[in-house]
Amino acid sequence: MTVALVLPLAALITFILMRGFGMSANLMSLGGLAIAIGMLVDAAVVVVENIVQRLATDPTAGKLPRLHTIYRAVREVAVPVTSGILIIITVFLPLLTLQDLEGKFFVPVALTIVFALAGSLVLSLTVIPVLASYLLREVKHEEPWLPRKLQALYEPALAWGLRRQRVVAAVAVAMLLLGGVIYTQVGKTFMPTMDEGDLIVGIEKLPSVSLEQSAALDLKIHRAIMQAVPEVHGIVARAGSDEIGLDPMGLNQTDTYLLLKPQGEWRMKSKEALMDEVRKVLDPMPGIKYSFTQPIEMRVSEMIIGVRGDLAVKIFGPELDKLNEYASQVEALLKTVPGNQDVYTVQNDGVQYLRVAVDRLQAGRLGLSVEEIQDALRTQIEGQRAGIVIEGNRRTPIVLRGSEAVRTSPAEFAATRITTRDGNTVPLTSVAKLERAEGPVKIDREMGSRYSVVIANVGGRDLVGFVEEAKALVTQKLPCPPDTASVGAVSSKTSNARQRG
């Protein structure tokens, strides 16, 4: 009971320190406290055990006061107990140096563990001895059966080691060196992939696809997956952006949520094998690119690197055409690196635009400026706010704009009539030339620079090794063009970015 009292008291000290440092009680901080629970009693166990041993075998035969005997027992173990707890605390200190999102993940865990261990150490050297003086009245110190048996094995081994100290030291150094060699050969990753249960297949189609075509192709994909992969019992998909714009995507991008049956009903043993079955369905379908992720993993990747996938190679520069060309070459190189999966370049060109080239001379003859023509066309396409209708507490804006046919039909748009300053109207084709042109889906920017991105997943090997090998391959075989600002590889599961200028 004396030892158990350190648990609630250490938790109380932890919460006090958390409040003092402005930390909230969330999943990560409370998780750190849960991890530390098993270590909180270590110091108290050693202190109480030594107190019991001293009280049971008092060499002074009761000549010293009871509290003085307890004080001597605590003083004997104070240095080793403090050293042991400080060593454990030191193990968690490197986590406090983490930055960005990984710092937000693991700094609360490390701080909570440090608070709890420091509190347990202070309690074990102050409060626990006082409680022991009240609670430990009649003490008997007898070694249990298991410790006696282990002691019989330990004492000869200890004696042997003390007689051969050089041999023991040499073996320890050799094991340390062997561990260092093995460490260099082991794959590394910062955050391991967690199995969240369900899968998400991110499907990207041609940028010029319409909403109706995108929905029809998605339905075809869903039926093919449901028919070929019985482990999937349901599919929920979403194409384009939502109403509030928190997850901006094009009409050619679809998040397909695969709802899976319990793993006991699967034909295969692992989720990787299930993903291979889905790949067999998607590979023969033309005009699509895809990648696999999970719901939480997808959001974490978007927060860290801005895209979905284990690895993103971002090419920065001013010219979109050259960025897309260079991205295609990087994609081809990444597909040669062992362990690559679902490598593709985000489609950013191929959208059909209707370009209006204003004939300034003809427009000037009619008394029109380029700005007036632009405003007239903007009213037809986007609309112009004309006022507000107030009905009780409800406010309804009034917007004037052209018919739906003007926004969907190039012929109707070309027939749009522009009002001149004298009140007459002229067709748009009399003051401008309409041209079809291909352009980008969107222009992505990061830190004020345009960029194109290549996405890849990694399977069958460590992520850090894949990044290093891909970085060396791109550096060697694909020199950075002089008009391209930089090429960088970032990952959602490694703690830092690796760039070359």
Side-chain angles (χ1 to χ4, degrees), residues 106 189-196 294 297 492-494:
F106 295 109
T189 185
F190 182 70
M191 294 180 62
T193 301
M194 297 180 293
D195 187 357
E196 301 177 25
Q294 302 178 98
E297 181 182 358
S492 61
K493 299 177 184 175
T494 54

Side-chain angles (χ1 to χ4, degrees), residues 252-460:
N252 63 318
Q253 296 174 314
T254 303
D255 286 338
T256 304
Y257 293 76
L258 305 184
L259 308 180
L260 307 179
K261 295 179 180 179
Q263 196 163 359
E265 303 178 18
W266 292 6
R267 297 168 298 166
M268 60 287 297
K269 295 182 179 180
S270 65
K271 183 174 286 188
E272 288 72 20
L274 176 62
M275 293 163 60
D276 290 337
E277 291 295 320
V278 178
R279 286 189 180 97
K280 293 178 182 178
V281 177
L282 298 178
D283 285 340
M285 295 187 175
I288 66 169
K289 295 181 180 180
Y290 62 89
S291 63
F292 289 92
T293 184
Q294 302 178 98
I296 299 177
E297 181 182 358
M298 177 181 68
R299 297 305 178 193
V300 172
S301 298
E302 288 179 335
M303 286 189 294
I304 297 178
I305 61 178
V307 296
R308 305 168 184 181
D310 294 341
L311 175 69
V313 180
K314 296 181 178 179
I315 302 99
F316 296 87
E319 300 293 337
L320 291 178
D321 294 339
K322 294 181 179 180
L323 291 178
N324 294 332
E325 179 183 355
Y326 194 82
S328 300
Q329 298 175 6
V330 172
E331 176 187 349
L333 288 178
L334 289 182
K335 289 182 178 179
T336 64
V337 180
N340 74 86
Q341 289 182 341
D342 313 326
V343 181
Y344 71 95
T345 302
V346 177
Q347 294 278 356
N348 197 32
D349 53 6
V351 174
Q352 294 290 324
Y353 288 92
L354 196 62
R355 179 181 299 169
V356 180
V358 178
D359 186 343
R360 296 176 179 269
L361 182 59
Q362 182 62 25
R365 291 172 181 170
L366 297 174
L368 294 173
S369 65
V370 176
E371 290 75 14
E372 290 173 337
I373 296 175
Q374 290 176 341
D375 292 339
L377 297 179
R378 184 178 294 111
T379 301
Q380 291 288 329
I381 302 299
E382 298 179 1
Q384 182 177 1
R385 191 164 181 172
I388 297 177
V389 176
I390 301 177
E391 298 175 334
N393 293 330
R394 183 177 179 182
R395 294 171 174 263
T396 304
I398 301 175
V399 178
L400 299 178
R401 65 181 179 186
S403 63
E404 184 69 22
V406 174
R407 296 191 296 274
T408 58
S409 172
E412 290 290 338
F413 181 75
T416 301
R417 301 191 69 83
I418 307 296
T419 303
T420 61
R421 294 178 180 177
D422 56 8
N424 297 322
T425 60
V426 296
L428 176 62
T429 52
S430 65
V431 293
K433 182 180 180 181
L434 303 184
E435 304 172 344
R436 285 185 177 272
E438 287 191 357
V441 180
K442 58 180 178 177
I443 299 177
D444 294 314
R445 287 183 174 86
E446 189 171 296
M447 296 183 296
S449 177
R450 297 179 177 182
Y451 74 91
S452 183
V453 62
V454 182
I455 300 174
N457 289 328
V458 180

